[in-house]
């Protein structure tokens, strides 16, 4: 049995036959197995920021070309360092096979300071606070604590994204109240490689299950995983209609805004789901107990 470590679905045996190299790639979290190869996951802005601060601390005590970062799902991922010297480091975000992630290759810089974890230029703000999600902040703090202990470092770090303001204009951050830069996010630490092949692959995998939960995003996935243990949850994002091709018992789980866009109006969500032979649950309440993440439009 080979399961995806992020989304927890089981891959068809015919796709891997227990091949050790395939198993190792899948367990890294960076690869999604397909019927004829792999799709590459990327890393979130939270993972990239964590890598930059880790490299900055490392550089104070020696040369570094790569750092290992702990992700929120417990998987360690290796990230290449572009530049690191005397308490300064630069790391670039990698989006894998994601077709339209505007933050791909965006540079994150970290510089050591006297105390604290701070966010500077290029990191957006929402209601007067830096736009850093709870999951991403926990990830950053854990990696900061790990590398501080590893090297006996007692100072702080500031994280900046020099082109953050410019790239943020290409996102929908302003629509959710984030200004002057990008958000630092990441529920899992990995970015799904959204493309046509990913949707087709997930549907093929879903066909193994009699009951599935079709979710609009990671927070809804967490919700479905907890509330509907008899259903295998899948993140299909905006590709709900594709997922509805599944012939079995299915429930759609998501937030009212995204589901309204899919259905063509809030009052049409239930009707459209019923016509497709699916139940639907619109998540109305606060998601803190399920995921603790904040909304944002960059990864």
């Amino acid at each position: 049995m080979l399961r995806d470590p992020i989304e927890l679905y089981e891959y068809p045996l015919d796709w891997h036959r227990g091949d050790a190299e395939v198993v190792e790639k899948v367990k890294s979290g960076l690869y999604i197995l397909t019927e004829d190869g792999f799709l590459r996951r990327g890393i979130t802005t939270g993972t990239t920021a964590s890598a930059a601060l880790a490299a900055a601390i490392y550089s104070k005590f020696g040369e570094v070309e790569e750092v290992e970062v702990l992700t929120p799902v417990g998987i360690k991922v290796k990230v290449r360092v572009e530049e690191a010297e005397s308490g300064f480091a630069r790391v670039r975000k990698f989006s894998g096979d994601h077709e339209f992630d505007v933050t791909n290759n965006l540079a994150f810089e970290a510089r050591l300071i006297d105390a604290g974890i701070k966010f500077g230029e290029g990191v957006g703000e929402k209601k007067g606070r830096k736009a850093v999600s709870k999951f991403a902040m926990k990830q950053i703090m854990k990696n900061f604590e790990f590398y501080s202990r590893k090297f006996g470092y007692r100072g702080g770090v500031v994280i900046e994204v020099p082109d953050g303001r410019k790239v943020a204009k290409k996102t929908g951050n302003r629509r959710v109240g984030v200004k002057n830069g990008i958000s630092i996010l990441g529920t899992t630490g990995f970015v799904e490689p959204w493309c046509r092949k990913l949707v087709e692959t997930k549907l093929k995998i879903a066909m193994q299950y009699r009951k599935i939960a079709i979710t609009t995003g990671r927070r809804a996935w967490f919700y479905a995983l907890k509330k509907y243990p008899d259903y295998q949850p899948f993140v299909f994002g905006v590709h709900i209609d594709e997922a509805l091709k599944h012939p079995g018992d299915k429930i759609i789980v998501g937030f009212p805004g995204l589901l309204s866009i899919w259905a063509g109006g809030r009052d049409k969500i239930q009707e459209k789901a019923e016509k497709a032979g699916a139940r639907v649950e619109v998540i109305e309440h606060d998601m803190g107990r399920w995921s603790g993440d904040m909304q944002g439009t960059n990864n």
Side-chain angles (χ1 to χ4, degrees):
M1 181 184 297
L2 179 61
R3 291 188 182 276
D4 182 82
I6 309 299
E7 211 154 320
L8 305 182
Y9 49 67
E10 184 180 342
Y11 287 108
L13 179 60
D14 287 346
W15 289 12
H16 62 87
R17 293 292 180 185
D19 182 274
E21 184 178 349
V22 172
V23 171
E24 184 177 355
K25 281 189 170 184
V26 168
K27 287 186 175 181
S28 75
L30 289 169
Y31 293 88
I32 292 176
L33 183 61
T34 69
E35 194 170 16
D36 57 358
F38 295 95
L39 284 168
R40 298 174 302 166
R41 280 192 175 100
I43 58 174
T44 59
T45 47
T47 296
T48 312
S50 296
L53 73 83
I57 295 172
Y58 204 128
S59 72
K60 186 175 175 63
F61 302 92
E63 295 184 0
V64 55
E65 296 181 351
E66 183 180 77
V67 290
E68 191 172 65
V69 174
L70 181 65
T71 63
V73 290
I75 299 173
K76 292 181 179 178
V77 59
K78 292 181 179 179
V79 181
R80 188 177 71 85
V81 177
E82 181 176 280
E83 181 181 344
E85 184 177 7
S86 303
F88 168 84
R90 180 184 300 113
V91 172
R92 291 190 181 272
K93 185 173 180 295
F94 170 66
S95 297
D97 290 324
H98 195 303
E99 289 184 338
F100 48 88
D101 185 354
V102 298
T103 62
N104 184 46
N105 206 42
L106 185 62
F108 281 63
E109 296 181 352
R111 175 172 44 84
L112 301 186
I113 57 176
D114 289 340
I117 300 175
K118 300 180 180 180
F119 300 91
E121 175 59 33
V123 179
E125 298 178 353
K126 184 174 183 178
K127 296 181 179 179
R129 300 179 63 183
K130 286 295 185 178
V132 182
S133 74
K134 292 180 181 179
F135 267 117
M137 191 65 213
K138 287 179 181 178
Q139 180 185 15
I140 288 167
M141 289 177 66
K142 282 186 177 181
N143 282 285
F144 177 75
E145 290 167 1
F146 174 82
Y147 278 93
S148 293
R149 287 196 305 269
K150 179 181 176 71
F151 292 102
Y153 177 62
R154 298 183 181 278
V157 65
V158 59
I159 299 167
E160 297 185 313
V161 186
D163 291 329
R165 288 176 186 260
K166 181 172 67 176
V167 171
K169 295 176 181 178
K170 301 177 184 178
T171 73
N173 274 5
R174 282 192 170 274
R175 293 199 302 271
V176 295
V178 177
K179 302 177 181 179
N180 302 321
I182 64 163
S183 307
I184 297 183
L185 306 170
T187 309
T188 66
F190 296 89
V191 172
E192 291 294 291
W194 286 111
C195 60
R196 172 50 48 188
K197 187 163 186 175
L198 177 63
V199 177
E200 293 171 350
T201 295
K202 283 193 173 184
L203 184 56
K204 288 177 182 177
I205 295 170
M207 291 298 183
Q208 301 178 112
Y209 295 91
R210 188 172 66 85
K211 298 180 178 181
I212 67 167
I214 300 165
T215 69
T216 53
R218 189 61 57 189
R219 296 191 303 150
W221 183 92
F222 272 110
Y223 181 97
L225 182 70
K226 298 288 186 181
K227 187 168 183 180
Y228 300 101
D230 293 336
Y231 288 73
Q232 174 62 43
F234 288 86
V235 176
F236 272 97
V238 298
H239 304 281
I240 298 173
D241 288 328
E242 291 292 317
L244 287 171
K245 294 177 182 178
H246 187 282
D249 187 352
K250 44 194 175 284
I251 181 169
I252 304 167
V253 180
F255 291 89
L258 295 172
L259 291 178
S260 295
I261 293 172
W262 164 69
R266 174 67 185 268
D267 59 336
K268 297 179 180 179
I269 295 174
Q270 188 70 37
E271 179 184 356
K272 187 169 182 179
E274 289 177 356
K275 284 183 178 179
R279 290 186 294 143
V280 63
E281 176 158 352
V282 181
I283 303 171
E284 303 281 4
H285 57 74
D286 176 70
M287 282 288 292
R289 62 177 289 209
W290 302 101
S291 70
D293 208 358
M294 65 174 279
Q295 289 185 315
T297 55
N298 62 261
N299 295 302

